């Protein structure tokens, strides 16, 4: 008992040591308490509060070191016993230990994969995903994801024999709806690793399980979970190459347009739609008619009297903005009849709904081309005319009467609205009519050239980019030789020369850098 107490005290001190342990201290600890001693102690049940958790935390820290990870191959049988333990804490430790083994090896090293296969560990990890609590299931899922980085593991994770019990399709077929969502989550994680693994996921047919699960259930929670997975899937760079886009678009259309669909499902479906159609290469694999149908579904939802949820309205507007961030997408949201972008423009200058106005201004900036290369900001003639008419119509129906009045109103609001306004003007000023409107209000020029207007780093840079875009448009326009615009040109040129953060006249302006903006 005294030895157990000594082990507990040492393990507690090691586990709670502030900062990282160096390799020397790890070796000294294991010289004093070899791994077999710690493993045997874990199988006992001493009357010491927190004993198991302390030893598990200690072992986790040990195995995350180079020296500790190098010892794992010697104890694979013990690890296998740990994977079959009743304790969820020990199971989680065993999964994390296998993860440490895999992450310590080069992906071309076949020995680690062989250790996992030869010791029957992979089937145990799969079993954890469907039969354990969330923590153990997640640890097992992360371990399998790490295993999938190894080319030699492809035949293990994606067996050629369709009747293999470890085939993920078969695994999903024999488990509960909750466990099936975990399997689907694993599939998305595997898909995100690389194009090679995504190709294997596609070839195995398991990607179709997401759509099948959506169509085969009326459980709202399951539907929301699968939609969340689709949202993660669309974030993957190579998703447009492998995800069956046309059928997914049809599914999203049915959810957004469905009369029996709940608001949360609609909201998530619209967010997925925006992310899906924000990729330029998407139009190589889907028909334009499918995209138009999806835009029409979102347009219809914004027209619906049932769409009174602010979050859903913002999601719909944001989705239209993401769709319009590509050249083809901008053409479509501006050229449909009536143009879906009318909702974006109307909300962008509506001061009565702050959140919706903010989302709409960012969406309008995307549609106008702020995120596109400068050479691609202008879209086709019909879409450009639609954009111009929408903004002039919005102005005519407001108290400001002109677009210049609307622009100035935006730049006189809160800092986050101004930031979105800078983005919008940066893109719109590529159009000659917009440059004329901006120059019509000297107050706009005063704001965008004033280095003291903003204090946050991201806002300073947005103001500067807007100023620079206006100056570039000014130089390319017919105003350079106009003596009435001489002071405006000089003011813009001086502001561009001074940079985003300060001017010679105002040394007091300094960027307030938030933690997330510094990296």
């Amino acid at each position: 008992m005294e030895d157990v107490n000594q082990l507990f005290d040492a393990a507690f001190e090691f586990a709670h040591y502030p900062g990282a342990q160096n390799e020397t201290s790890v070796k000294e600890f294991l010289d004093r308490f070899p791994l077999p001693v710690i493993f045997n102690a874990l199988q006992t049940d001493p009357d010491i509060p927190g004993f198991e958790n302390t030893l598990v935390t200690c072992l986790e820290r040990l195995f995350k070191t180079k020296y500790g990870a190098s010892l794992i191959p010697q104890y694979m049988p013990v690890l296998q016993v740990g994977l079959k333990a009743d304790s969820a804490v020990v199971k989680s430790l065993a999964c994390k230990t296998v993860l440490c083994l895999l992450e310590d090896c080069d992906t071309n090293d076949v020995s680690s994969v062989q250790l996992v296969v030869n010791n029957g560990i992979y089937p145990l990890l799969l079993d954890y995903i469907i039969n354990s609590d969330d923590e153990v299931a997640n640890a097992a899922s992360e371990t399998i994801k790490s295993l999938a980085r190894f080319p030699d593991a492809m035949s293990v994770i994606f067996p050629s024999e369709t009747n293999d019990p470890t085939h993920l399709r078969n695994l999903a077929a024999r488990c509960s709806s909750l466990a099936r969502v975990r399997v689907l989550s694993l599939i998305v994680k595997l898909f995100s690793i690389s194009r090679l693994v995504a190709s294997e996921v596609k070839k195995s047919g398991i990607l179709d399980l997401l759509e099948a699960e959506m169509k085969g259930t009326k459980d709202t929670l399951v539907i929301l979970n699968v939609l969340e997975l689709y949202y993660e899937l669309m974030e993957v760079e190579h998703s447009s190459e492998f995800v069956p886009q046309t059928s997914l678009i049809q599914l999203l259309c049915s959810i957004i347009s469905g009369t029996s669909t709940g608001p949360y499902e609609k909201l998530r479906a619209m967010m997925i739609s925006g992310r899906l159609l924000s990729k330029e290469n998407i139009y190589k694999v889907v028909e334009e008619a499918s995209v138009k149908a999806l835009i029409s579904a979102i347009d219809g939802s914004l027209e619906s009297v049932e769409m009174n949820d602010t979050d859903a309205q913002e999601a719909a507007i944001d989705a239209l903005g993401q769709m319009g961030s590509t050249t083809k997408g901008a053409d479509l949201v501006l050229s449909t009849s009536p143009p879906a972008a009318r909702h974006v423009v109307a909300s962008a200058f509506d001061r009565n709904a702050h959140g919706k106005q903010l989302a709409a201004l960012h969406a309008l900036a995307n549609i106008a081309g702020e995120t596109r290369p400068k050479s691609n900001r202008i879209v086709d003639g019909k879409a450009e005319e639609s954009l111009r008419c929408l903004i002039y119509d919005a102005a005519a129906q407001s108290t400001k009467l002109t677009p210049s009045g609307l622009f100035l109103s935006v730049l006189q609001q809160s800092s986050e609205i101004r930031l979105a306004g800078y983005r919008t003007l940066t893109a719109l000023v590529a159009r000659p009519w917009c440059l004329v409107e901006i120059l019509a209000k000297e107050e706009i020029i005063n704001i965008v050239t004033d280095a003291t207007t903003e204090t946050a780093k991201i806002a300073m840079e947005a103001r500067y980019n807007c100023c620079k875009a206006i100056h570039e448009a000014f130089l390319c326009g017919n105003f350079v030789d106009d003596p009435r615009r001489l002071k405006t040109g000089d003011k813009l040129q001086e502001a561009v020369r001074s940079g985003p953060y300060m001017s010679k006249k105002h040394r007091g302006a300094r960027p307030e850098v938030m933690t997330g903006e510094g990296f």
Side-chain angles (χ1 to χ4, degrees):
M1 187 65 184
E2 185 179 344
D3 291 342
V4 171
N5 283 324
Q6 288 178 355
L7 171 60
F8 175 75
D9 291 340
F12 185 89
E13 184 178 342
F14 187 92
H16 295 90
Y17 180 83
Q21 292 277 12
N22 59 47
E23 301 295 323
T24 303
S25 61
V26 172
K27 193 171 187 312
E28 288 174 353
F29 183 90
L30 291 174
D31 286 343
R32 185 182 174 194
F33 301 104
L35 284 174
V37 172
I38 304 176
F39 290 144
N40 288 335
L42 267 176
Q43 295 175 16
T44 64
D45 189 20
D47 188 19
I48 303 176
F51 182 80
E52 184 180 65
N53 286 334
T54 297
L55 260 60
V56 165
T57 305
C58 175
L59 285 168
E60 283 183 15
R61 296 196 71 174
L62 283 167
F63 291 136
K64 284 180 180 177
T65 65
K66 274 282 183 186
Y67 181 71
S70 70
L71 299 176
I72 296 173
Q74 303 172 34
Y75 294 96
M76 292 305 287
V78 178
L79 197 58
Q80 191 179 40
V81 172
L83 285 164
K84 294 177 180 178
D86 293 330
S87 168
V89 176
V90 174
K91 285 180 179 179
S92 181
L93 168 66
C95 291
K96 291 174 183 177
T97 304
V98 177
L99 181 62
C100 289
L101 167 71
L102 296 170
E103 291 186 341
D104 190 55
C105 297
D106 185 88
T107 54
N108 294 319
D109 184 359
V110 299
S111 61
S112 53
V113 176
Q114 289 173 347
L115 283 170
V116 171
V117 173
N118 294 342
N119 287 277
I121 288 173
Y122 182 65
L124 293 173
L125 295 173
L126 290 178
D127 183 67
Y128 283 178
I129 289 175
I130 61 175
N131 291 320
S132 296
D133 63 27
D134 286 343
E135 184 177 351
V136 176
N138 186 60
S141 182
E142 289 299 319
T143 304
I144 293 174
K145 180 181 177 182
S146 183
L147 179 65
R149 295 182 304 111
F150 294 79
D152 276 34
M154 290 299 97
S155 59
V156 178
I157 299 173
F158 307 104
S160 56
E161 179 53 58
T162 55
N163 293 324
D164 192 309
T166 64
H167 196 294
L168 293 179
R169 180 179 287 279
N170 299 329
L171 189 70
R174 65 175 186 263
C175 60
S176 65
S177 59
L178 172 62
R180 198 151 50 245
V181 170
R182 288 177 177 174
V183 175
L184 297 176
S185 177
L186 172 62
I187 291 169
V188 173
K189 285 181 179 179
L190 295 174
F191 184 89
S192 69
I193 295 171
S194 66
R195 279 183 170 81
L196 172 64
V197 181
S199 176
E200 291 294 332
V201 170
K202 175 70 174 176
K203 282 193 291 185
S204 69
I206 57 178
L207 208 55
D208 300 336
L209 293 174
L210 277 85
E211 186 176 338
E213 188 68 15
M214 284 288 297
K215 292 180 176 178
T217 183
K218 293 184 178 179
D219 187 322
T220 302
L221 184 59
V222 172
I223 291 172
L224 286 172
N225 281 329
V226 177
L227 285 173
E228 184 65 34
L229 293 175
Y230 264 123
Y231 188 67
E232 292 175 17
L233 196 64
M234 290 304 103
E235 195 172 20
V236 180
E237 185 181 352
H238 47 265
S239 61
S240 57
E241 297 177 38
F242 300 104
V243 178
Q245 310 289 352
T246 302
S247 59
L248 175 56
I249 288 175
Q250 291 171 350
L251 179 63
L252 293 171
C253 281
S254 65
I255 293 172
I256 295 168
S257 304
T259 54
S260 59
T261 311
Y264 294 110
E265 294 102 297
K266 288 179 184 284
L267 184 150
R268 186 52 80 179
M270 286 188 284
M271 292 173 73
I272 295 167
S273 302
R275 184 169 279 188
L276 170 68
L277 296 179
S278 66
K279 298 178 172 66
E280 196 77 57
N281 61 356
I282 190 71
Y283 296 96
K284 297 178 182 178
V285 292
V286 297
E287 295 181 358
E288 186 177 302
S290 298
V291 178
K292 284 183 175 179
L294 188 51
I295 293 172
S296 176
I298 295 174
D299 185 7
S301 70
L302 283 166
E303 287 285 314
S304 171
V305 292
E306 298 173 0
M307 179 69 98
N308 54 10
D309 181 78
T310 304
D311 290 339
Q313 291 173 356
E314 290 177 17
I317 287 170
D318 179 68
L320 290 174
Q322 288 196 60
M323 292 175 183
S325 63
T326 67
T327 305
K328 184 63 177 177
D331 282 341
L332 293 177
V333 298
L334 287 166
S335 302
T336 51
S337 184
R342 71 190 185 281
H343 300 289
V344 176
V345 175
S347 298
F349 302 108
D350 181 5
R351 301 184 64 158
N352 296 318
H354 180 273
K356 193 159 74 165
Q357 182 187 16
L358 183 63
L361 281 168
H362 282 297
L364 180 56
N366 289 344
I367 293 169
E370 197 266 348
T371 58
R372 296 194 293 270
K374 291 178 183 179
S375 58
N376 291 343
R377 281 183 178 166
I378 305 294
V379 287
D380 72 22
K382 181 182 177 183
E384 281 296 326
E385 180 60 18
S386 172
L387 176 62
R388 190 185 71 82
C389 288
L390 287 172
I391 292 178
Y392 273 94
D393 287 347
Q397 293 170 27
S398 73
T399 58
K400 304 302 178 183
L401 300 179
T402 63
S404 58
L406 292 181
F407 299 156
L408 178 59
S409 173
V410 166
L411 296 182
Q412 290 173 333
Q413 294 181 53
S414 66
S415 58
E416 58 182 356
I417 293 289
R418 288 200 306 273
L419 171 59
Y422 293 138
R423 289 191 65 232
T424 301
L425 293 182
T426 298
L428 284 176
V429 76
R431 287 90 179 160
W433 62 263
C434 181
L435 177 62
V436 170
E437 291 293 339
I438 290 173
L439 295 177
K441 290 283 185 184
E442 188 177 351
E443 296 98 318
I444 296 177
I445 300 299
N446 291 339
I447 291 171
V448 300
T449 56
D450 185 357
T452 64
T453 303
E454 308 298 339
T455 56
K457 178 176 181 289
I458 189 171
M460 284 183 164
E461 292 172 350
R463 177 204 61 79
Y464 178 73
N465 290 336
C466 179
C467 178
K468 193 162 63 169
I470 294 171
H471 184 238
E472 289 173 359
F474 182 86
L475 293 177
C476 295
N478 299 320
F479 301 99
V480 180
D481 300 323
D482 187 342
R484 294 171 298 175
R485 301 292 183 185
L486 187 60
K487 285 180 63 177
T488 300
D490 290 344
K491 198 168 192 176
L492 287 166
Q493 186 172 344
E494 176 59 28
V496 170
R497 187 185 298 116
S498 298
Y501 306 123
M502 65 171 67
S503 68
K504 292 178 181 178
K505 294 180 181 179
H506 302 286
R507 292 290 183 182
R510 293 290 190 278
E512 292 178 2
V513 185
M514 307 301 288
T515 303
E517 295 175 14
F519 300 95

